Amino acid sequence: MHSVRIHKIIDQMISFYRRIGLWHEEDRPTVNQFRRKSFYCIYYLLFVFSLSIGAITGETVDGSIFIAEISIFSTVLITKISMFLWKQKQIMGLLNRICVFSIRNDEDFAFFNDKVEKFIKFAIVYGCATIIATLGCSVFPFFGNEKTLIVDIAFPLDWKNSEIGFWMAYLFLVSSLIATYPAMAFSVLIWYLLLHCTIRYKVIGIDINNMGRITGKVKMTEKKQQAIFYQDLVASIEAHLHLRRLIDELESFLSKLFLLQFATSGLCICGSIYCLAFDISDTFVERMVHVYTLFYSTAELFMITYFGNEIMLSSSRLTYSLFESEWIGQPHSTQKCIIIFGEYLKQSHELLIGKLYPLTLETFTRILNSSYSLFNILKNFKE
């Protein structure tokens, strides 16, 4: 029996946010922590307003499209930041119940470790790309003959004609970009939770397939073997029902966020492709920001739909695992339970967002198609 715990990288990330005061150790935040969280949310909300007003008052259509894209992008981020800061209890509850469990055999444990380690490597690359993008935005004003910000934000001071105003706007922009890191961290936690849901379905499938099988040379009566098979069957049914309840709870918690991502991802992807296709950028750094925005929007959408699709596929394979087990020769009462359980497993576990949109790769393809259609409309206006 192997005990699975939250990965050390995820645990270190949680510890870091606790040390800086964005998360708390107690059941409720202290007064200072509450003030810090409130200031953090308000500060980032001002950044979103600044981008939105900059898009409305933009001098060119191309510039307005770029800033509007960033504003939509930031709206999703502030939703994630709010959930990350104020839903700590629910997040930790889901992490402890979904990511902490036991695996019976060595083969399953090795399979689990391989999948998680590959995901952690991807998460590290994702985090490094985010840091590089932030650094790119930070050094952008120092390229070229004139000092300018990477986006034409609205700011109380005339930063275009004032040296002091420029540096204050620069510090506001850079600090706001750094403030997006908790949103990125929350994305990693969401993917980590969905990954565990997928792996746990696959582990249940392996356990169902191995019901009643005894490793090693152990002699026992047929009645004893049948009793062990029945115990394993009951344990698998309970594990399946427990996991399904956990995933339903996770779906309920993230449904509104995923619905917002479905509504905005297509717009962000379209905006990024438009900016790159017509090369409205003046510098290499700005082009890299467009590339990162496209990468981020596509990766965010793909990751959640990919894991949702894997959950559906993993749950649908349980029926095959059940009838691949050594069910032949079991007592009539046990076979009856197997048939009933098999009928129940025929309905795969599909996550529905907003009770309308399945969290599958088909939805990902549909959103990309809508982005392409919107891009064609913008291209016609450009021409």
Short mmCIF file of all heavy atoms in Angstrom, two decimals, residues 85-107:
data_model
loop_
_atom_site.label_atom_id
_atom_site.label_comp_id
_atom_site.label_asym_id
_atom_site.label_seq_id
_atom_site.Cartn_x
_atom_site.Cartn_y
_atom_site.Cartn_z
N LEU A 85 -7.54 33.93 -3.72
CA LEU A 85 -7.37 34.61 -2.44
C LEU A 85 -8.48 34.30 -1.45
O LEU A 85 -8.23 34.11 -0.26
CB LEU A 85 -7.27 36.12 -2.65
CG LEU A 85 -6.06 36.64 -3.42
CD1 LEU A 85 -6.12 38.15 -3.55
CD2 LEU A 85 -4.76 36.21 -2.76
N TRP A 86 -9.72 34.24 -1.93
CA TRP A 86 -10.86 34.16 -1.03
C TRP A 86 -11.47 32.77 -0.91
O TRP A 86 -12.36 32.56 -0.08
CB TRP A 86 -11.94 35.15 -1.47
CG TRP A 86 -11.45 36.56 -1.51
CD1 TRP A 86 -11.18 37.31 -2.63
CD2 TRP A 86 -11.14 37.41 -0.40
NE1 TRP A 86 -10.73 38.56 -2.28
CE2 TRP A 86 -10.69 38.65 -0.92
CE3 TRP A 86 -11.20 37.23 0.98
CZ2 TRP A 86 -10.31 39.70 -0.10
CZ3 TRP A 86 -10.82 38.28 1.80
CH2 TRP A 86 -10.39 39.50 1.26
N LYS A 87 -11.04 31.83 -1.75
CA LYS A 87 -11.58 30.47 -1.70
C LYS A 87 -10.52 29.47 -1.24
O LYS A 87 -10.51 28.32 -1.66
CB LYS A 87 -12.11 30.06 -3.08
CG LYS A 87 -13.20 30.96 -3.64
CD LYS A 87 -14.49 30.85 -2.86
CE LYS A 87 -15.60 31.67 -3.50
NZ LYS A 87 -16.87 31.58 -2.74
N GLN A 88 -9.63 29.92 -0.37
CA GLN A 88 -8.53 29.07 0.08
C GLN A 88 -9.04 27.80 0.76
O GLN A 88 -8.52 26.71 0.51
CB GLN A 88 -7.63 29.83 1.04
CG GLN A 88 -6.51 28.98 1.64
CD GLN A 88 -5.74 29.69 2.73
OE1 GLN A 88 -5.78 30.91 2.84
NE2 GLN A 88 -5.04 28.94 3.57
N LYS A 89 -10.05 27.92 1.59
CA LYS A 89 -10.56 26.77 2.33
C LYS A 89 -11.09 25.69 1.38
O LYS A 89 -10.80 24.50 1.55
CB LYS A 89 -11.66 27.22 3.30
CG LYS A 89 -12.14 26.12 4.22
CD LYS A 89 -13.16 26.65 5.22
CE LYS A 89 -13.63 25.56 6.17
NZ LYS A 89 -14.62 26.08 7.15
N GLN A 90 -11.85 26.13 0.36
CA GLN A 90 -12.39 25.16 -0.60
C GLN A 90 -11.28 24.53 -1.44
O GLN A 90 -11.30 23.33 -1.72
CB GLN A 90 -13.40 25.85 -1.54
CG GLN A 90 -14.68 26.27 -0.84
CD GLN A 90 -14.64 27.70 -0.34
OE1 GLN A 90 -13.62 28.15 0.19
NE2 GLN A 90 -15.73 28.42 -0.51
N ILE A 91 -10.28 25.36 -1.83
CA ILE A 91 -9.18 24.84 -2.64
C ILE A 91 -8.38 23.80 -1.87
O ILE A 91 -8.08 22.71 -2.39
CB ILE A 91 -8.26 25.99 -3.11
CG1 ILE A 91 -9.03 26.95 -4.03
CG2 ILE A 91 -7.03 25.44 -3.82
CD1 ILE A 91 -8.28 28.22 -4.35
N MET A 92 -8.02 24.11 -0.63
CA MET A 92 -7.25 23.18 0.17
C MET A 92 -8.07 21.92 0.49
O MET A 92 -7.51 20.82 0.54
CB MET A 92 -6.80 23.85 1.47
CG MET A 92 -5.67 24.85 1.29
SD MET A 92 -4.21 24.17 0.45
CE MET A 92 -3.80 22.78 1.50
N GLY A 93 -9.37 22.10 0.69
CA GLY A 93 -10.23 20.94 0.93
C GLY A 93 -10.23 19.99 -0.26
O GLY A 93 -10.11 18.76 -0.11
N LEU A 94 -10.33 20.55 -1.47
CA LEU A 94 -10.31 19.73 -2.68
C LEU A 94 -8.94 19.08 -2.88
O LEU A 94 -8.84 17.90 -3.27
CB LEU A 94 -10.67 20.58 -3.90
CG LEU A 94 -12.14 21.00 -4.00
CD1 LEU A 94 -12.33 22.09 -5.05
CD2 LEU A 94 -13.04 19.80 -4.31
N LEU A 95 -7.87 19.82 -2.62
CA LEU A 95 -6.52 19.26 -2.75
C LEU A 95 -6.32 18.08 -1.80
O LEU A 95 -5.77 17.04 -2.19
CB LEU A 95 -5.47 20.34 -2.47
CG LEU A 95 -5.16 21.32 -3.61
CD1 LEU A 95 -4.28 22.45 -3.11
CD2 LEU A 95 -4.49 20.61 -4.78
N ASN A 96 -6.76 18.24 -0.56
CA ASN A 96 -6.55 17.18 0.44
C ASN A 96 -7.41 15.96 0.17
O ASN A 96 -7.01 14.83 0.49
CB ASN A 96 -6.84 17.73 1.84
CG ASN A 96 -5.76 18.69 2.32
OD1 ASN A 96 -4.59 18.52 2.01
ND2 ASN A 96 -6.16 19.72 3.04
N ARG A 97 -8.58 16.15 -0.41
CA ARG A 97 -9.46 15.00 -0.64
C ARG A 97 -9.23 14.33 -1.99
O ARG A 97 -9.45 13.12 -2.13
CB ARG A 97 -10.92 15.43 -0.52
CG ARG A 97 -11.37 15.56 0.93
CD ARG A 97 -12.80 16.02 1.06
NE ARG A 97 -12.93 17.41 0.69
CZ ARG A 97 -14.00 17.94 0.09
NH1 ARG A 97 -15.00 17.16 -0.25
NH2 ARG A 97 -14.06 19.22 -0.19
N ILE A 98 -8.78 15.09 -2.98
CA ILE A 98 -8.55 14.51 -4.31
C ILE A 98 -7.12 14.02 -4.48
O ILE A 98 -6.87 12.97 -5.08
CB ILE A 98 -8.90 15.54 -5.41
CG1 ILE A 98 -10.40 15.83 -5.41
CG2 ILE A 98 -8.47 15.04 -6.79
CD1 ILE A 98 -10.83 16.89 -6.41
N CYS A 99 -6.16 14.77 -3.92
CA CYS A 99 -4.75 14.47 -4.17
C CYS A 99 -4.09 13.66 -3.06
O CYS A 99 -2.89 13.35 -3.16
CB CYS A 99 -3.97 15.78 -4.37
SG CYS A 99 -4.65 16.81 -5.69
N VAL A 100 -4.81 13.35 -2.01
CA VAL A 100 -4.28 12.52 -0.93
C VAL A 100 -5.11 11.25 -0.86
O VAL A 100 -6.28 11.28 -0.49
CB VAL A 100 -4.31 13.26 0.42
CG1 VAL A 100 -3.79 12.36 1.53
CG2 VAL A 100 -3.50 14.56 0.34
N PHE A 101 -4.50 10.13 -1.24
CA PHE A 101 -5.21 8.86 -1.24
C PHE A 101 -4.19 7.73 -1.21
O PHE A 101 -2.98 7.97 -1.12
CB PHE A 101 -6.13 8.73 -2.47
CG PHE A 101 -5.41 8.81 -3.80
CD1 PHE A 101 -5.15 7.66 -4.53
CD2 PHE A 101 -5.00 10.03 -4.31
CE1 PHE A 101 -4.49 7.72 -5.74
CE2 PHE A 101 -4.34 10.10 -5.54
CZ PHE A 101 -4.08 8.95 -6.24
N SER A 102 -4.66 6.51 -1.28
CA SER A 102 -3.78 5.33 -1.20
C SER A 102 -3.85 4.52 -2.49
O SER A 102 -4.92 4.42 -3.11
CB SER A 102 -4.16 4.44 -0.01
OG SER A 102 -4.01 5.15 1.20
N ILE A 103 -2.71 3.96 -2.89
CA ILE A 103 -2.63 3.09 -4.06
C ILE A 103 -2.13 1.73 -3.59
O ILE A 103 -1.12 1.64 -2.89
CB ILE A 103 -1.68 3.68 -5.13
CG1 ILE A 103 -2.25 5.02 -5.64
CG2 ILE A 103 -1.50 2.71 -6.29
CD1 ILE A 103 -1.37 5.69 -6.68
N ARG A 104 -2.81 0.69 -4.03
CA ARG A 104 -2.54 -0.63 -3.47
C ARG A 104 -1.29 -1.31 -4.01
O ARG A 104 -0.51 -1.87 -3.27
CB ARG A 104 -3.76 -1.53 -3.68
CG ARG A 104 -4.88 -1.25 -2.71
CD ARG A 104 -5.94 -2.33 -2.76
NE ARG A 104 -6.86 -2.13 -3.86
CZ ARG A 104 -7.93 -2.90 -4.06
NH1 ARG A 104 -8.17 -3.91 -3.25
NH2 ARG A 104 -8.74 -2.68 -5.07
N ASN A 105 -1.07 -1.27 -5.32
CA ASN A 105 0.06 -2.04 -5.86
C ASN A 105 1.13 -1.14 -6.46
O ASN A 105 0.90 0.04 -6.75
CB ASN A 105 -0.43 -3.07 -6.89
CG ASN A 105 -1.17 -2.41 -8.04
OD1 ASN A 105 -0.58 -1.66 -8.80
ND2 ASN A 105 -2.46 -2.72 -8.19
N ASP A 106 2.31 -1.72 -6.68
CA ASP A 106 3.48 -0.99 -7.15
C ASP A 106 3.30 -0.48 -8.58
O ASP A 106 3.78 0.61 -8.92
CB ASP A 106 4.72 -1.88 -7.09
CG ASP A 106 5.06 -2.29 -5.66
OD1 ASP A 106 4.64 -1.57 -4.73
OD2 ASP A 106 5.72 -3.33 -5.47
N GLU A 107 2.64 -1.25 -9.41
CA GLU A 107 2.45 -0.87 -10.81
C GLU A 107 1.64 0.42 -10.92
O GLU A 107 2.00 1.33 -11.67
CB GLU A 107 1.76 -2.00 -11.57
CG GLU A 107 1.54 -1.70 -13.05
CD GLU A 107 0.75 -2.80 -13.74
OE1 GLU A 107 0.56 -3.88 -13.12
OE2 GLU A 107 0.33 -2.58 -14.88
#
